[in-house]
């Protein structure tokens, strides 16, 4: 791995040896450095001090780390992440939440020139990894996250996170939309629908300005400590946008967890809590047709795109999920009330299961007919 080291900071990807020199130059106490496997966009390390105190260090390069340099991602994303974590953390601490069960890490230091950010270590397991643990009250965590996200969206309508509301994150966030056609072609799905969804809904991601969105809200970005308090991390995709996209992404991811990892009720608990918290703020989600459509379409895009690269079940499961995503996109875009409202009433899970049963019955009937 090519690395360079200046007197003031780091330039280029950093390995542990280069990081040691950086910490020494900055007079940062450390006993050990461990490279962490988490994180898609940035290089992440666990820094342990001689006192035993642990911190996480993140370093940004001008690309998505896991893309091996093939997906550009401007390093200014870390400026937005730092500002969002400072200002959103302060704002959320002033909101009427029942307790501090969901927190944003406190920034310990930020080196703007080297794009190095340090924060407290928040736990070794993500909510996705802890989902199957018997001692984890999954529905409770889902309710807490739903209330927290609704509070973030409702309270940040006028919150400034920087020039343009993080245009780099807005551009990256469109990736599934702009590549939806390619995936549809590969899996033999509805290419015309994929093209229409990208053309109709993709551009909205550049102009949405309703509130502050986390931008990558899914169980892999929720860390749990030993007391099951949750820390929301990875804010580089934070942007001004539509809260429906945060909701749609988390709804899709929790749907997949509940469908394939034990059916523990995270999906429905999250959505019902978001709905109820918004109602407590005086916002009737069911009266906002645009929000319902966007959340359903975005969940559909997520299901139609990401299973092509992230495995859930076998090959047949993958194709069924992606086909179901296309159904959600089409009926969501049409504004079908049975679909756009079900996200916040019965949830996607029973609808998917009923659909799978219907597909299986149709195959059985077809097989019987062919034998006759």
């Amino acid at each position: 791995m090519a690395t360079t080291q200046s007197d003031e900071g780091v330039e280029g990807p950093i390995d542990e040896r280069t990081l040691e020199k950086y910490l020494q130059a900055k007079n940062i106490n450390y006993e050990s450095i461990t490279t962490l496997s988490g994180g898609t966009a940035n290089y992440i390390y666990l820094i342990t001090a001689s006192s035993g105190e642990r911190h996480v260090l993140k370093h940004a390069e001008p690309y998505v780390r896991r893309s091996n340099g093939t997906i550009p991602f401007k390093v200014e994303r870390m400026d937005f992440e730092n500002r969002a974590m400072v200002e959103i953390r302060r704002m959320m601490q002033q909101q009427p939440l029942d307790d501090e069960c969901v927190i944003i890490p406190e920034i310990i230091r930020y080196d703007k020139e080297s794009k190095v950010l340090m924060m407290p270590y928040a736990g070794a397991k993500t909510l996705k990894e802890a989902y199957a643990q018997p001692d984890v009250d999954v529905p409770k965590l889902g309710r807490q996250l739903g209330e927290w996200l609704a509070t973030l969206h409702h309270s940040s309508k006028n919150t400034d996170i920087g020039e343009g509301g993080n245009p780099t994150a807005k551009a990256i966030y469109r990736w599934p939309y702009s590549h939806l056609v390619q995936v549809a072609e590969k899996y033999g799905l509805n290419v015309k629908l994929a093209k229409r969804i990208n053309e109709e809904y993709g551009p909205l991601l550049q102009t949405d300005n309703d509130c502050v969105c986390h931008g990558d809200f899914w169980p892999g970005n929720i860390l749990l400590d030993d007391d099951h308090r949750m820390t929301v991390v990875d804010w580089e995709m934070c942007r001004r946008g539509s809260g429906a996209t945060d909701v749609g992404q988390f709804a899709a991811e929790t749907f997949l967890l509940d469908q394939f990892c034990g059916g523990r009720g995270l999906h429905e608990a999250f959505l019902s809590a978001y709905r109820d918290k918004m109602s407590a703020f005086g916002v009737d989600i069911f009266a906002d047709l645009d929000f319902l459509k966007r959340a359903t379409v975005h969940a559909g895009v997520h299901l139609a795109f990401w299973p092509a690269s992230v495995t859930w079940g076998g090959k047949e499961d993958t194709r069924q999920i992606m086909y179901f995503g296309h159904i959600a996109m089409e009926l969501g875009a049409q504004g079908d009330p049975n679909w756009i409202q079900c996200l916040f009433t019965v949830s996607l899970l029973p609808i998917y299961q009923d659909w799978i049963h219907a597909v299986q019955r149709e195959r059985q009937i077809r097989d019987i007919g062919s034998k006759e």
Side-chain angles (χ1 to χ4, degrees):
M1 178 186 296
T3 62
T4 59
Q5 170 73 32
S6 70
D7 292 337
E8 283 112 15
V10 290
E11 300 173 356
I14 52 176
D15 56 17
E16 292 180 16
R17 178 57 184 157
T18 307
L19 184 55
E20 286 181 1
K21 294 179 180 179
Y22 172 81
L23 295 176
Q24 292 166 0
K26 297 296 182 180
N27 295 316
I28 298 173
N29 174 268
Y30 72 95
E31 183 75 20
S32 65
I33 301 170
T34 305
T35 302
L36 298 180
S37 59
T40 299
N42 302 303
Y43 295 86
I44 306 179
Y45 304 88
L46 177 64
I47 310 298
T48 303
S50 55
S51 64
E53 190 175 15
R54 294 182 293 178
H55 299 121
V56 170
L57 182 146
K58 297 178 66 174
H59 170 60
E61 284 295 310
Y63 51 79
V64 174
R65 178 180 67 87
R66 289 194 177 179
S67 75
N68 294 319
T70 61
I71 302 177
F73 198 1
K74 294 181 180 179
V75 293
E76 286 75 20
R77 67 184 183 269
M78 192 160 276
D79 298 338
F80 281 96
E81 178 171 22
N82 174 65
R83 179 169 177 173
M85 290 177 69
V86 171
E87 297 189 6
I88 300 300
R89 183 175 188 272
R90 183 186 304 120
M91 181 193 76
M92 292 297 284
Q93 288 176 330
Q94 299 171 356
Q95 302 308 312
L97 291 165
D98 293 338
D99 51 46
E100 291 188 359
C101 53
V102 184
I103 62 174
I104 299 172
E106 180 180 9
I107 299 296
I108 296 174
R109 63 181 295 151
Y110 178 51
D111 184 339
K112 181 179 175 69
E113 182 178 355
S114 295
K115 300 300 183 244
V116 173
L117 184 150
M118 288 186 66
M119 66 192 79
Y121 179 69
K125 285 192 175 182
T126 67
L127 176 55
K128 180 179 179 180
E129 294 166 335
Y131 176 89
Q133 290 182 203
D135 65 323
V136 176
D137 188 340
V138 171
K140 179 181 178 181
L141 300 185
R143 290 190 294 271
Q144 292 171 341
L145 286 169
E147 292 183 2
W148 182 89
L149 188 66
T151 302
L152 169 64
H153 291 164
H154 181 73
S155 305
S156 63
K157 294 184 181 300
N158 299 312
T159 302
D160 181 14
I161 61 168
E163 184 178 357
N166 200 353
T168 297
K170 292 183 179 186
I172 288 287
Y173 203 69
R174 188 172 176 176
W175 183 268
Y177 287 79
S178 58
H179 291 77
L180 200 56
V181 168
Q182 295 172 238
V183 172
E185 290 174 339
K186 179 179 178 180
Y187 285 84
L189 299 171
N190 191 333
V191 173
K192 288 184 178 179
L193 174 64
K195 185 174 185 293
R196 179 165 63 87
I197 291 297
N198 177 45
E199 291 175 349
E200 183 176 347
Y201 287 91
L204 297 179
L205 299 172
Q206 312 300 315
T207 58
D208 289 330
N209 195 31
D210 299 337
C211 62
V212 171
C213 300
H214 176 272
D216 195 14
F217 196 68
W218 73 294
N221 279 337
I222 312 295
L223 296 175
L224 271 65
D225 65 14
D226 293 338
D227 297 320
H228 299 167
R229 285 201 317 167
M230 294 177 286
T231 299
V232 182
V233 297
D234 284 356
W235 286 81
E236 65 262 14
M237 291 289 288
C238 178
R239 70 193 198 288
R240 294 286 307 179
S242 168
T245 56
D246 273 346
V247 172
Q249 179 174 349
F250 202 80
E253 285 288 335
T254 53
F255 158 78
L256 292 168
L257 273 175
D258 280 349
Q259 175 63 24
F260 292 102
C261 301
R264 303 195 65 195
L266 180 59
H267 178 69
E268 185 175 357
F270 164 76
L271 289 168
S272 60
Y274 186 94
R275 174 199 66 207
D276 293 345
K277 190 64 175 181
M278 278 299 193
S279 179
F281 286 131
V283 178
D284 181 4
I285 282 180
F286 295 116
D288 190 341
L289 180 63
D290 288 339
F291 183 93
L292 293 173
K293 289 174 65 175
R294 285 295 297 282
T296 305
V297 168
H298 192 76
V301 170
H302 200 85
L303 294 173
F305 178 80
W306 288 110
S309 55
V310 180
T311 303
W312 291 95
K315 290 183 178 179
E316 183 61 20
D317 292 315
T318 296
R319 194 178 186 285
Q320 286 178 342
I321 292 167
M322 296 171 72
Y323 188 85
F324 186 68
H326 274 250
I327 294 174
M329 289 191 301
E330 183 167 22
L331 296 180
Q334 291 174 3
D336 185 313
N338 294 323
W339 267 84
I340 62 175
Q341 292 184 17
C342 80
L343 199 62
F344 292 97
T345 52
V346 298
S347 82
L348 289 178
L349 201 63
I351 295 175
Y352 176 76
Q353 292 167 346
D354 287 346
W355 176 69
I356 288 294
H357 292 154
V359 170
Q360 291 171 343
R361 285 195 300 271
E362 183 179 338
R363 286 176 179 170
Q364 290 170 353
I365 293 170
R366 188 168 59 244
D367 291 343
I368 292 171
S370 64
K371 291 176 182 178
E372 293 177 348

